[in-house]
Amino acid sequence: MATRYEQIMARKGEIMVRALGMDYAEFERGPIAFDYEGMMAAHGYSLADIRGIQRAAGVGGTPLLELRNLTDLVRSYAEPGFGARIFVKDEAANMAGSFKDRRASMSIHVAAKKGYAGVIAATSGNYGAAVASQAARAGLKCIICQETFDSRHIGQPEIVEKSRLCEAFGAEVVQMTVGPELFFHMLELLDETGFLSASLYSPFGVSGIETLGAELAEEMRALTGAPPTHVVVTHAGGGNTTGTARGLKRAGATSTEIVSASVDLSGLHMASDTDFNRKSFTTGHTGFGVPFATWPDRADVPRNAARSLRYMDRYLTVTQGEVFYVTEALAKLEGLERGPSGNTAMAAAMSLARDLPADATVVVQETEYTGAGKHHWSQLAFAREQGVEVRAGDPADNVPGTAIVIPERPEQIRAVDFDLGRMHRSYVRNALSRAPEGYVPTPEDIVFLAEDTNTSPATIEEIIAELRAG
Amino acid sequence: MTDAVRCSPGDWVEVERVLLEVAERAVGLPADTAAQPLRVWVKGYARSEAMIGDTIEVETMTGRVVSGHLSAISPGYTHTFGTPPAEIVHIGRDLRARVAAYRAAAAAVAGGMASPEAGE
Ligand SMILES: Cc1ncc(COP(=O)(O)O)c(C=O)c1O
């Protein structure tokens, strides 16, 4: 007899069609290709429409700040003539404290318009608070499913803080122990309530981030006369990179280099009960960043609107200790006390700016709020309690889950380039392995894979030949 | 969190239940996770009087009725900011001094070039 888990998973298609608020089937072109731009445009909202919806929802229009002290700090150790100007878009100024309000505002708008009584999202991060806040304003009910505790009932303080904030905004928070069956329970709840699935990965949500890219392009033009030369984006599931890059392009910033950045958590297993509380970051890390970039359609929607390999020009990793150092530096030098995920891009930006000429402009496209639980002191105290070593030294000696090494000097902050070629190969391997046994990719598939990786059909053919040769 | 062990109808409480027993869990989990049941905690308004550990129904904020073992009465939050780690506290002082030194040196260079002595 099928278990409860198997019974619900077998009904996944049926439950999701009702809960998603759109039909993905019309965009499918075969086992590999689908019409991405068609899917993104199907909701019919222009960038101007989205701006209007967000303005009414109290979202966006956050300040863009130049960080002159941080820039001079970097210049103090950069080669003469180097040290780009560093800017930040203070997304923590959104109501629920992060850029996730932009995503949530669109899902909530759609839920209200289509007459859903409420929304459900599976998220342990800022998105839950954003959905809860927007749902409260729209008078909709809200359930947030969170992976909160390990099997000892010990919660990552950052996630516990997220539970608190979601509840503060009137959401029902379903807290769970570690495991991917979170998705199964979300399906059960969608089935029971008939609410909209406010997925992080829907075209509604990802389109909502385009305003961030467009705003910062316009604000940089006003401030410096040109769009930024570089934008650094904290990257996990890929929506942040995708939406920001699309918005920049819409605003005409076509030559801006898109640099995604994640905290290196290599070696830690994301579904492991024991590893769960040995990490000090709950998002913006490689544990999400790499799998989602190389296989976006692992998400809770049939086709993921967040497809980061289409847009990233570089992918940098930094260590937990480097981000904590930069978090402290930002507060003390710039009067900006902000949370860890946004500061992941900030750490990468300091390293990047050091190697760029002084007239280059680097924008960190977001900050997030901080507070009890999320704060770097809180995270370091928790790491120590979990048996992770915290010490000062060379951050290159950092070992995820074992040792957090806080730099002694800013020169030690050195982001590492992740090999994009490796990500492209891994993406193509994943795409092929999802197609039926013996399926031969069509010319349309090859073009799709080239677009989805921002490479060329020739590169895709080469990768396929390589994979065939074994 | 209060120390109360008995709740009354209408009190804000938390219930706990097992969502999936070990045998019911998904396949392919890491061994440490697979060895544990999947547990869930939900908060709501108690629908009856109960003692900690009793099975009870709660009505959640969305109006769902959920049953489980009463695990907390007036569940609150105790997470904190922690204490300043020694590895962090020096950063602000160090970096402010570095920025000041950099600017002083840059001003000296600029001032030196503009000064009459340097020019004549
Ligand atoms: C503050 C913050 N920055 C960055 C990210 C990463 O965004 P994405 O998952 O879209 O890549 C998240 C979400 O997890 C976040 O909450």
Side-chain angles (χ1 to χ4, degrees):
Chain A
M1 203 190 80
T3 61
R4 229 172 87 235
Y5 176 76
E6 288 162 348
Q7 282 170 12
I8 283 285
M9 294 309 272
R11 293 185 45 230
K12 173 180 158 184
E14 167 211 333
I15 297 171
M16 289 306 265
V17 163
R18 193 210 44 75
L20 287 170
M22 64 177 278
D23 183 9
Y24 285 73
E26 60 187 281
F27 309 109
E28 291 299 338
R29 294 289 178 270
I32 293 177
F34 82 103
D35 178 9
Y36 176 61
E37 289 300 342
M39 179 183 88
M40 293 304 285
H43 55 53
Y45 297 116
S46 67
L47 189 64
D49 294 337
I50 296 175
R51 282 189 149 154
I53 291 166
Q54 291 183 337
R55 202 171 304 120
V59 172
T62 55
L64 179 87
L65 308 167
E66 178 160 14
L67 304 179
R68 293 197 178 80
N69 296 332
L70 207 66
T71 298
D72 272 358
L73 175 67
V74 171
R75 287 179 180 170
S76 76
Y77 55 85
E79 294 294 323
F82 285 78
R85 289 166 72 183
I86 304 173
F87 302 79
V88 69
K89 183 91 169 134
D90 196 20
E91 285 291 296
N94 283 302
M95 277 186 292
S98 81
F99 85 98
K100 292 287 173 70
D101 288 30
R102 296 182 189 261
R103 283 167 113 145
S105 61
M106 291 308 293
S107 289
I108 297 297
H109 177 80
V110 168
K113 209 170 144 212
K114 291 185 187 266
Y116 286 84
V119 294
I120 299 185
T123 159
S124 302
N126 292 308
Y127 187 57
V131 172
S133 160
Q134 287 292 312
R137 279 177 71 85
L140 295 178
K141 294 179 177 182
C142 174
I143 301 178
I144 302 298
C145 299
Q146 275 195 340
E147 193 179 48
T148 317
F149 301 113
D150 66 13
S151 58
R152 303 168 298 170
H153 198 218
I154 294 179
Q156 225 293 342
E158 179 167 16
I159 301 179
V160 173
E161 160 56 16
K162 277 311 144 37
S163 299
R164 183 201 66 78
L165 191 53
C166 291
E167 286 176 4
F169 295 139
E172 171 185 335
V173 180
V174 177
Q175 298 177 306
M176 280 178 254
T177 50
V178 178
E181 300 101 327
L182 180 90
F183 180 60
F184 139 84
H185 192 46
M186 186 183 83
L187 285 176
E188 280 192 317
L189 292 169
L190 288 169
D191 196 32
E192 176 187 332
T193 59
F195 290 178
L196 177 92
S197 169
S199 168
L200 270 165
Y201 305 104
S202 74
F204 313 123
V206 173
S207 302
I209 310 165
E210 291 179 10
T211 53
L212 171 47
E215 277 175 31
L216 80 81
E218 290 159 11
E219 288 155 356
M220 284 298 285
R221 261 199 202 101
L223 208 62
T224 69
T229 60
H230 296 75
V231 170
V232 191
V233 187
T234 299
H235 167 72
N240 203 15
T241 297
T242 302
T244 302
R246 290 174 65 85
L248 281 161
K249 287 198 166 65
R250 280 191 203 276
T254 47
S255 58
T256 298
E257 195 170 306
I258 306 294
V259 182
S260 299
S262 296
V263 168
D264 176 20
L265 287 190
S266 52
L268 292 176
H269 196 304
M270 292 308 131
S272 161
D273 184 58
T274 40
D275 285 355
F276 182 68
N277 277 332
R278 298 185 74 83
K279 53 187 196 289
S280 305
F281 285 74
T282 62
T283 188
H285 58 66
T286 56
F288 293 143
V290 175
F292 271 94
T294 56
W295 188 238
D297 297 326
R298 65 176 58 245
D300 58 357
V301 285
R303 288 294 194 168
N304 192 341
R307 308 188 82 82
S308 58
L309 286 184
R310 284 183 175 243
Y311 302 102
M312 66 171 74
D313 296 309
R314 281 174 78 179
Y315 184 28
L316 299 179
T317 66
V318 290
T319 62
Q320 297 185 117
E322 287 171 316
V323 181
F324 289 139
Y325 185 97
V326 169
T327 297
E328 180 71 14
L330 189 69
K332 293 294 193 291
L333 289 182
E334 298 288 353
L336 269 181
E337 190 184 41
R338 296 293 181 261
S341 315
N343 288 342
T344 299
M346 188 65 70
M350 280 180 68
S351 177
L352 180 71
R354 175 181 177 176
D355 298 329
L356 292 172
D359 61 357
T361 52
V362 174
V363 177
V364 173
Q365 53 73 266
E366 60 141 334
T367 58
E368 61 164 345
Y369 88 103
T370 189
K374 280 171 78 85
H375 198 264
H376 51 308
W377 292 2
S378 167
Q379 286 294 335
L380 287 169
F382 182 72
R384 281 197 159 111
E385 282 164 23
Q386 303 307 309
V388 175
E389 183 193 5
V390 177
R391 65 182 153 85
D394 184 346
D397 296 334
N398 168 84
V399 182
T402 304
I404 295 173
V405 185
I406 311 283
E408 290 167 303
R409 295 179 303 281
E411 301 83 318
Q412 290 172 318
I413 296 166
R414 277 321 219 168
V416 175
D417 262 292
F418 202 97
D419 181 359
L420 276 190
R422 208 177 112 197
M423 303 241 281
H424 296 154
R425 283 192 293 282
S426 153
Y427 168 88
V428 172
R429 190 189 318 110
N430 286 328
L432 295 182
S433 73
R434 259 62 175 195
E437 187 79 33
Y439 177 81
V440 180
T442 63
E444 188 181 16
D445 289 331
I446 303 289
V447 170
F448 170 80
L449 292 172
E451 285 171 1
D452 224 27
T453 49
N454 191 23
T455 61
S456 65
T459 306
I460 299 297
E461 303 269 20
E462 253 170 59
I463 295 174
I464 293 177
E466 244 175 65
L467 291 170
R468 290 246 164 80
Chain B
M1 232 109 7
T2 65
D3 294 333
V5 291
R6 176 180 294 278
C7 73
S8 304
D11 284 355
W12 182 247
V13 301
E14 178 194 75
V15 293
E16 172 188 356
R17 70 192 169 104
V18 170
L19 197 64
L20 294 172
E21 296 289 355
V22 170
E24 299 172 312
R25 295 202 66 166
V27 291
L29 298 176
D32 57 348
T33 309
Q36 302 290 340
L38 185 70
R39 292 192 287 158
V40 59
W41 290 262
V42 176
K43 298 184 184 85
Y45 304 95
R47 303 235 297 168
S48 60
E49 194 181 275
M51 299 280 289
I52 290 286
D54 288 352
T55 299
I56 182 183
E57 284 185 343
V58 300
E59 186 182 328
T60 69
M61 270 303 281
T62 63
R64 290 198 309 133
V65 174
V66 178
S67 77
H69 299 287
L70 182 67
S71 50
I73 298 165
S74 303
Y77 290 92
T78 56
H79 53 289
T80 70
F81 287 90
T83 49
E87 296 81 2
I88 294 285
V89 288
H90 65 91
I91 295 172
R93 190 179 62 179
D94 290 0
L95 298 189
R96 284 184 177 185
R98 287 181 68 144
V99 171
Y102 170 76
R103 287 186 178 152
V109 170
M113 288 193 308
S115 72
E117 293 87 346
E120 284 165 10

